[in-house]
Amino acid sequence: MWGRQRNLYSTYKRISSKERLNGNASEASLGRSPSGVLKEAGLPSWKRSLPHVLVATLSSFLFGYHLGIVNDTLESISLDLSFRGSTLAEGLVVSTCLGGAFVGSLFSGWTADGVGRRRAFQLCALPMIIGASVSATATTLRGMLLGRLFVGMGMGLGPPVAALYVAEVSPAFVRGTYGSCTQIATCLGLMASFFVGIPSKELMGWWRVCFWVSALPAALLAILMEFCAESPHWLFKRGRMAEAEENTERLFGASHVKYAMAELTKSDRGDEVDTAKFSDLFIGRHVRVVFLGSTLLALQQLSGINAVFYFSSTVFTSAGVPSDIANICVGIVNLSGSIIAMVLMDKMGRKGLLLWSFSGMAVSMGFQVIGASSLLSGSVVLYLSVGGMLLFVLTFSLGAGPVPSLLLSEILPARIREKAMAVCMAVHWVINFFVGLLFLRLLEQLGPQILYASFGIFCFVAVVFVRKNIVETKGKTLQEIEMAFLPAD
């Protein structure tokens, strides 16, 4: 994974400000060698920044854990809290968390921009600890919903900050690999929730232990982040030059401080030292990148991935596979694909992974449509349904899962990065909420063929969108990407 360092000297090429591209910049132009002086600098060790990245991914682990923990425990929770049989109450236990995540994502940009990345992680951990405690000790539905709301706020705050932090503290030549770590952590969180939740079907009250367990990684995130480096990008943006140099040395080594600070200076073009306003995201030259980010995340959710995760147990059960084994199979496939994506991210590139991923998802939905038709019967239908679902999860984890949040943290200009990420993630949670809310009703009204075909069409639209609008960013510093991607006034 690290053997290509010597071939990646182009990571540190300087780009003249006269070579900025317009909004329709091609990836060929972005990768073009500048005519200016080539800065020869050795690559920083990837080992320096790795511990900081691993601590940050605890927020992604918690994100996955809390998404999956109610799957196996919901029945026990409904019995203990006396709302069994109420589909509305059960739905609220799930969706309240999504509502809290939407609120948390709205404030993620302002939090990361105002108090810094490290403090934002600690603020993310706080509602997760409170929410887990409230949920674990709940004696009524109202108490459970309050706990899930707090947890959701932490879930909404964590992923945008993690994407920002990982992108800003990682060397350019492994930024894609490190960016994939957040997706792997999410998969590990989901799998952990499956395993921890298994005893809940046999032991009354075990679901309370499941919530208590989640408080431990949240506390570790808050404590360990105290010893992690702050983002040099944020420190530089706040005018704290000495601290930016100190943290750059921690992350990349003393020999890279001068070059890294020069790179940061390149993105400071006079008009961008002030704080971005909310209106700046929707007018002027920033509109295009905000639109690209929001659309990419919307297409990610409209592909139907969360609906597929939700419906997977039913499909497996109809094939005679127990739900526990089904969840583990989906988790293993998801994790395997994420590990492959981590290896390929800085080799194949972001755009290539997205194209192959959405194409594979479209084909997988085609298998689901055929499996749901009346043309076939027996074991062929089961193989198509189960195989198509596993293929869908695998191809999603190869690109459509890990790439969008990483790509956003790369293409969003430094001046608006935090607030724009918050807006894009808010779009993600809104689409996520409505897909989860309407999936079963649409399945009943339209039937599986039309619904799965619709998901497949959105996957195909995503392929076209990525091909026409997304540029390759692998191996480039954030400053190079910004100067190439953002048109001059």
Side-chain angles (χ1 to χ4, degrees):
M1 179 163 45
W2 315 110
R4 301 172 62 248
Q5 295 184 10
R6 292 185 178 180
N7 297 327
L8 290 166
Y9 68 91
S10 60
T11 298
Y12 293 98
K13 293 178 180 177
R14 286 187 177 275
I15 296 180
S16 169
S17 60
K18 294 181 180 180
E19 292 184 315
R20 295 177 196 161
L21 307 179
N22 59 27
N24 297 317
S26 67
E27 60 184 278
S29 300
L30 181 58
R32 182 176 59 194
S33 297
S35 58
V37 178
L38 178 63
K39 172 94 174 169
E40 291 290 349
L43 298 180
S45 172
W46 53 269
K47 296 179 182 179
R48 283 180 169 270
S49 54
L50 180 59
H52 307 271
V53 170
L54 292 179
V55 173
T57 58
L58 282 172
S59 65
S60 299
F61 177 88
L62 286 162
F63 175 81
Y65 186 90
H66 284 292
L67 275 182
I69 196 57
V70 296
N71 285 352
D72 284 331
T73 61
L74 189 56
E75 183 178 352
S76 298
I77 294 172
S78 64
L79 279 171
D80 269 9
L81 303 186
S82 303
F83 61 86
R84 186 179 185 183
S86 174
T87 56
L88 176 61
E90 292 177 353
L92 283 173
V93 172
V94 177
S95 60
T96 299
C97 191
L98 301 180
F102 170 73
V103 175
S105 67
L106 284 178
F107 289 97
S108 63
W110 282 262
T111 304
D113 194 22
V115 301
R117 314 312 191 224
R118 291 169 61 239
R119 294 290 177 258
F121 278 119
Q122 291 172 327
L123 290 175
C124 154
L126 183 60
M128 286 194 168
I129 295 173
I130 295 173
S133 303
V134 172
S135 297
T137 57
T139 57
T140 63
L141 174 61
R142 183 177 299 178
M144 173 57 66
L145 295 181
L146 180 62
R148 295 291 286 169
L149 181 64
F150 273 108
V151 164
M153 292 173 66
M155 289 171 59
L157 179 59
V161 178
L164 289 172
Y165 184 78
V166 171
E168 291 172 349
V169 304
S170 303
F173 68 97
V174 290
R175 191 172 57 241
T177 301
Y178 283 177
S180 299
C181 288
T182 59
Q183 178 70 12
I184 292 175
T186 300
C187 296
L188 290 174
L190 280 166
M191 293 185 69
S193 70
F194 295 154
F195 283 109
V196 173
I198 288 175
S200 65
K201 296 180 178 179
E202 305 294 335
L203 301 176
M204 286 297 295
W206 181 261
W207 63 269
R208 297 183 186 274
V209 176
C210 297
F211 285 103
W212 279 122
V213 166
S214 67
L216 179 59
L220 281 175
L221 174 63
I223 295 170
L224 294 179
M225 191 51 66
E226 192 66 30
F227 303 98
C228 290
E230 181 56 271
S231 164
H233 291 254
W234 181 78
L235 292 169
F236 181 86
K237 184 177 177 181
R238 308 296 287 189
R240 296 157 63 173
M241 306 301 179
E243 293 178 68
E245 292 180 1
E246 179 184 345
N247 283 271
T248 298
E249 182 175 349
R250 288 184 64 188
L251 292 166
F252 306 131
S255 61
H256 295 275
V257 172
K258 184 176 179 180
Y259 175 76
M261 296 303 293
E263 285 290 295
L264 289 173
T265 304
K266 290 198 300 185
S267 65
D268 178 12
R269 296 191 289 270
D271 61 325
E272 297 191 351
V273 295
D274 59 312
T275 302
K277 300 176 182 177
F278 187 76
S279 58
D280 293 336
L281 307 182
F282 306 104
I283 58 175
R285 57 184 179 152
H286 299 303
V287 172
R288 182 171 183 267
V289 288
V290 176
F291 170 76
L292 290 179
S294 300
T295 304
L296 188 59
L297 286 176
L299 288 171
Q300 179 197 58
Q301 294 305 304
L302 290 171
S303 68
I305 181 60
N306 285 310
V308 168
F309 275 129
Y310 181 85
F311 201 54
S312 61
S313 295
T314 303
V315 172
F316 276 93
T317 301
S318 66
V321 181
S323 61
D324 292 344
I325 297 178
N327 288 333
I328 292 173
C329 287
V330 170
I332 291 175
V333 169
N334 195 16
L335 178 61
S336 301
S338 299
I339 293 174
I340 295 171
M342 181 182 70
V343 176
L344 296 178
M345 191 73 74
D346 287 307
K347 295 182 179 181
M348 189 173 177
R350 288 51 152 167
K351 184 173 182 177
L353 283 178
L354 279 176
L355 289 173
W356 280 104
S357 178
F358 279 119
S359 298
M361 291 163 70
V363 172
S364 303
M365 278 301 170
F367 290 157
Q368 297 279 46
V369 172
I370 296 173
S373 69
S374 58
L375 300 177
L376 302 173
S377 60
S379 60
V380 177
V381 173
L382 295 180
Y383 288 139
L384 282 173
S385 298
V386 173
M389 182 161 295
L390 292 177
L391 180 62
F392 186 88
V393 173
L394 176 64
T395 51
F396 170 83
S397 63
L398 287 173
V403 171
S405 59
L406 170 65
L407 193 64
L408 258 65
S409 64
E410 292 179 322
I411 68 174
L412 293 174
R415 181 176 179 237
I416 65 165
R417 188 172 293 144
E418 300 89 348
K419 295 180 175 63
M421 180 69 79
V423 170
C424 294
M425 289 303 297
V427 171
H428 164 275
W429 283 112
V430 169
I431 302 296
N432 188 349
F433 175 80
F434 281 107
V435 169
L437 179 68
L438 300 176
F439 172 69
L440 290 179
R441 183 171 180 82
L442 289 175
L443 185 66
E444 183 180 279
Q445 297 287 329
L446 302 177
Q449 278 188 289
I450 295 178
L451 188 56
Y452 287 144
S454 300
F455 287 147
I457 290 172
F458 279 117
C459 292
F460 177 76
V461 170
V463 172
V464 176
F465 176 81
V466 169
R467 186 178 295 278
K468 289 182 175 294
N469 296 283
I470 302 301
V471 297
E472 187 54 70
T473 60
K474 69 172 181 176
K476 303 299 176 184
T477 66
L478 297 179
Q479 288 70 39
E480 288 175 336
I481 296 169
E482 177 175 344
M483 294 174 65
F485 204 85
L486 189 64
D489 287 330

